Amino acid sequence: MDGESLLVNALNACRSRLKAFIRGRTAVRDDADDILQEVTYQLMNVEQPVENVAAWLFRAARNEMTDRARKKRELPLSGFFNGDDDESDFAEDELAETLFGVPQTPEEAYLRELLWQELESALAELPSAQREVFEKTELEGLSYKVLVEETGVSMQALLSRKHKAVLYLRSRLRNVYDALTDDT
């Protein structure tokens, strides 16, 4: 029972960030809620101890979203053999876990602070329209539908702005992440 209460406490500590993370990657709010519920259920039924619950939750959420996306559409076979995407996804997972996870050591806390500073710096380099849509969907957890109503900008324009922001931030933060994790 004590182990379960520790899991519940860890889940509650990162629930809002996890919810924003999922909502930023799903088009339908109900899907986001379903994914959060599924990941919570998976955590409660995990058989082996989980050291970093936040990191586990973000990875499980990404996996669940990927599984659901694959079920909804068929992917060409060539898409499964592109190693670059897997490597890129891994770096994004690690960045998300570092940024949104609960640090377990002083080193992780320091790395998290450095990455947040770099993210803020990279966001400041974006055009304001791209920065706004990225921040509102990824960091504040707003849906595109709400943003369309709030800004009066078309869904397509918002998606385009977000796509451009994500491409820039991936490149910018990948370089930072590589530099921070380089052991040589």
Side-chain angles (χ1 to χ4, degrees):
M1 247 353 222
D2 192 31
E4 187 173 309
S5 66
L6 289 175
L7 286 178
V8 170
N9 289 340
L11 175 64
N12 289 336
C14 70
R15 186 177 208 76
S16 63
R17 291 186 314 247
L18 181 62
K19 197 173 202 177
F21 175 79
I22 295 168
R23 282 195 179 147
R25 288 163 176 75
T26 55
V28 180
R29 187 182 187 109
D30 288 341
D31 287 349
D33 293 338
D34 289 347
I35 291 168
L36 181 62
Q37 184 176 5
E38 177 61 29
V39 169
T40 302
Y41 176 77
Q42 289 173 9
L43 178 64
M44 295 303 161
N45 291 315
V46 72
E47 293 181 12
Q48 52 216 21
V50 176
E51 283 185 38
N52 186 341
V53 174
W56 188 96
L57 285 166
F58 281 93
R59 187 167 306 248
R62 182 175 290 274
N63 290 344
E64 182 67 22
M65 288 183 280
T66 301
D67 289 348
R68 287 172 182 241
R70 285 186 180 145
K71 287 178 186 174
K72 289 184 180 179
R73 61 177 169 77
E74 291 186 23
L75 296 174
L77 189 58
S78 62
F80 291 108
F81 297 107
N82 188 347
D84 292 341
D85 288 345
D86 291 340
E87 187 176 314
S88 174
D89 284 347
F90 178 74
E92 283 184 37
D93 285 345
E94 293 296 314
L95 282 171
E97 291 166 10
T98 303
L99 287 168
F100 298 112
V102 177
Q104 302 295 314
T105 65
E107 292 82 11
E108 286 179 11
Y110 179 70
L111 180 60
R112 179 181 181 196
E113 182 62 31
L114 286 176
L115 285 175
W116 270 109
Q117 289 172 2
E118 285 299 321
L119 176 61
E120 290 170 1
S121 174
L123 285 169
E125 295 166 6
L126 288 171
S128 62
Q130 291 177 19
R131 182 180 62 247
E132 180 182 14
V133 72
F134 182 86
E135 288 176 342
K136 293 207 178 220
T137 58
E138 290 296 318
L139 302 178
E140 296 175 24
L142 293 179
S143 70
Y144 285 102
K145 184 178 179 182
V146 169
L147 271 180
V148 166
E149 293 171 4
E150 184 180 291
T151 64
V153 176
S154 74
M155 177 79 72
Q156 189 61 36
L158 292 173
L159 290 170
S160 176
R161 291 173 185 175
K162 168 95 177 269
H163 179 71
K164 290 175 184 175
V166 167
L167 290 177
Y168 176 78
L169 293 171
R170 271 186 188 160
S171 171
R172 174 80 156 61
L173 294 177
R174 175 61 190 247
N175 294 337
V176 170
Y177 180 79
D178 287 346
L180 289 172
T181 60
D182 188 15
D183 292 332
T184 50

